[in-house]
Amino acid sequence: MTYQNATRRFVVTSLLATSAVFLGLPLQASAATPVLLNASYDVARELFKEINPAFVAEYKKTTGETVDINQSHGGSSKQARSVADGMEAAVVTMNQANDIDLLVDRGTVAAGWEKKFPNNAAPFYSTMVYLVRKGNPQGIKDWNDLAKPGVKVIVPNPKTSGNGRYTYLAAWGSVIKNKGTEVQARELVTRIFKNVPVLDGGGRGATTTFTQRGIGDVLVTFENEVNLVRAEFGNNFDVVYPASSILAESPVAVVDKVVDKKGYRKEATAYLNFLYSPQGQDIIAKHYFRPRSEAAFKKYNANFRQISLFTVDDVFGGWKAAQKKHFDDGGEFDKIYQNK
């Protein structure tokens, strides 16, 4: 290239750049589209498969901007540890507050996350119920039935899965709420876990073990999961509701360390707020999660049976106390399972 040609190209390029700035046009063909990663728990896969495109469309409609969402699923506690160890999720949508508190302790989520969105930052909740073989051949009706000799119970590992943790606490709490003692609660939970032939890492793995591998007489899992199984496998299974169970909130949070690094706070906050919107609540209820919206709950009322619910705060003094006593290394669960 001659000096004259090089000079001409430089002048043209400079004029084009100057014109673009003057006209307010981007120098590049298009800015990079923000891509948010949502780290979520196992049995919320189908929910977010519908939530994500609905949010993307609504965000484009209201702001004129484009955003993409990617998903990561696994056991809730396992997912939290992955985020703590560096997985760059912009948001977390977990099934227990304890997992987000871990991220606070590790400096990835700011303290006070539960006050940044309504309902303690939990846009929906669920509870633990039973899925049994068609006709319920073992006659399973309540938590005591899971402890009967010969009954095989499928539940994921409480050390890695919020699903498993809620099951453990629901069984323990059912004794306390029925005016039983801590000794009686420990005895029941011990007998139940003696009936557990395999501990999967997450709720979806436990569902596969029960439905596809044909192992177990009863699967204990979230209400939404048993209904999805019924929808997929038809009349092969029945759903049983115990007399009482635990209220399982699904809290959400922006991962401050990641969104501040990438500049995605606006998009991440809008994404979580969408879960509270009429459209988001409608999708949530349609997928058998219990919505906060009275209108959505009423619309999908047939999806939700009446059941007596107690909370982690009611029986265990909150998640931190429950974690320390029952699930930390050397806690009640370790003692129970090691002596299985």
Side-chain angles (χ1 to χ4, degrees):
M1 180 183 296
T2 66
Y3 175 80
Q4 185 177 15
N5 287 339
T7 303
R8 183 182 296 113
R9 175 170 291 185
F10 174 79
V11 171
V12 170
T13 302
S14 299
L15 287 172
L16 288 173
T18 303
S19 297
V21 172
F22 180 79
L23 294 172
L25 299 175
L27 292 179
Q28 298 178 346
S30 62
T33 298
V35 180
L36 309 182
L37 175 61
N38 174 12
S40 191
Y41 61 103
D42 250 352
V43 301
R45 296 171 192 266
E46 288 74 19
L47 170 64
F48 286 105
K49 191 177 291 185
E50 185 169 353
I51 284 285
N52 291 347
F55 166 72
V56 168
E58 181 64 19
Y59 192 74
K60 179 71 173 179
K61 177 181 175 182
T62 56
T63 68
E65 299 174 8
T66 301
V67 62
D68 287 335
I69 312 293
N70 287 336
Q71 283 297 130
S72 172
H73 291 279
S76 183
S77 297
K78 184 177 180 180
Q79 288 289 84
R81 287 194 292 272
S82 294
V83 175
D85 290 340
M87 182 168 71
E88 292 194 323
V91 300
V92 288
T93 55
M94 299 303 194
N95 60 27
Q96 56 176 314
N98 199 43
D99 288 330
I100 302 181
D101 286 335
L102 167 69
L103 299 179
V104 174
D105 293 341
R106 295 287 289 272
T108 55
V109 171
W113 60 269
E114 70 280 3
K115 299 176 183 177
K116 295 179 180 178
F117 298 93
N119 306 110
N120 293 319
F124 55 92
Y125 62 101
S126 189
T127 190
M128 310 310 295
V129 300
Y130 314 145
L131 189 71
V132 298
R133 307 291 173 188
K134 185 65 179 178
N136 193 7
Q138 294 284 1
I140 294 167
K141 297 180 181 179
D142 213 342
W143 296 103
N144 287 330
D145 296 319
L146 305 187
K148 289 179 178 178
V151 174
K152 293 182 179 179
V153 182
I154 303 302
V155 55
N157 190 344
K159 299 284 280 189
T160 59
S161 166
N163 184 316
R165 205 163 293 177
Y166 273 121
T167 296
Y168 174 107
L169 295 176
W172 189 291
S174 71
V175 176
I176 304 302
K177 293 299 286 186
N178 202 32
K179 303 187 185 305
T181 66
E182 291 282 314
V183 172
Q184 291 170 323
R186 183 180 298 106
E187 180 184 356
L188 174 65
V189 173
T190 298
R191 288 191 288 127
I192 289 174
F193 275 90
K194 282 184 177 179
N195 286 346
V196 177
V198 58
L199 282 177
D200 290 290
R204 187 51 55 84
T207 298
T208 299
T209 294
F210 184 72
T211 60
Q212 297 182 31
R213 297 175 62 195
I215 298 174
D217 301 299
V218 54
L219 170 71
V220 188
T221 190
F222 290 112
E223 181 180 36
N224 69 290
E225 181 77 346
V226 297
N227 283 290
L228 287 175
V229 171
R230 285 289 305 280
E232 181 176 352
F233 293 97
N235 294 323
N236 294 330
F237 305 97
D238 291 332
V239 178
V240 175
Y241 278 67
S244 67
S245 193
I246 198 161
L247 190 153
E249 290 188 315
S250 296
V252 302
V254 170
V255 183
D256 299 275
K257 184 177 182 180
V258 172
V259 299
D260 288 342
K261 172 185 174 183
K262 296 191 172 186
Y264 292 167
R265 180 173 293 277
K266 178 184 71 171
E267 294 85 353
T269 302
Y271 178 64
L272 295 186
N273 276 326
F274 179 77
L275 299 176
Y276 291 91
S277 71
Q279 185 181 5
Q281 290 282 290
D282 189 86
I283 295 171
I284 285 165
K286 184 170 71 173
H287 283 265
Y288 298 95
F289 292 96
R290 298 190 175 216
R292 298 297 188 175
S293 162
E294 291 183 10
F297 196 98
K298 183 177 180 179
K299 179 179 177 180
Y300 292 94
N301 186 57
N303 288 356
F304 310 113
R305 299 187 200 176
Q306 291 291 326
I307 183 173
S308 175
L309 299 177
F310 56 86
T311 69
V312 175
D313 287 346
D314 288 339
V315 178
F316 302 97
W319 268 112
K320 287 187 177 180
Q323 173 68 34
K324 182 177 181 180
K325 178 176 179 179
H326 294 277
F327 307 117
D328 276 356
D329 290 345
E332 291 284 358
F333 175 73
D334 281 351
K335 294 174 185 176
I336 286 170
Y337 203 70
Q338 287 167 5
N339 294 325
K340 179 180 172 182

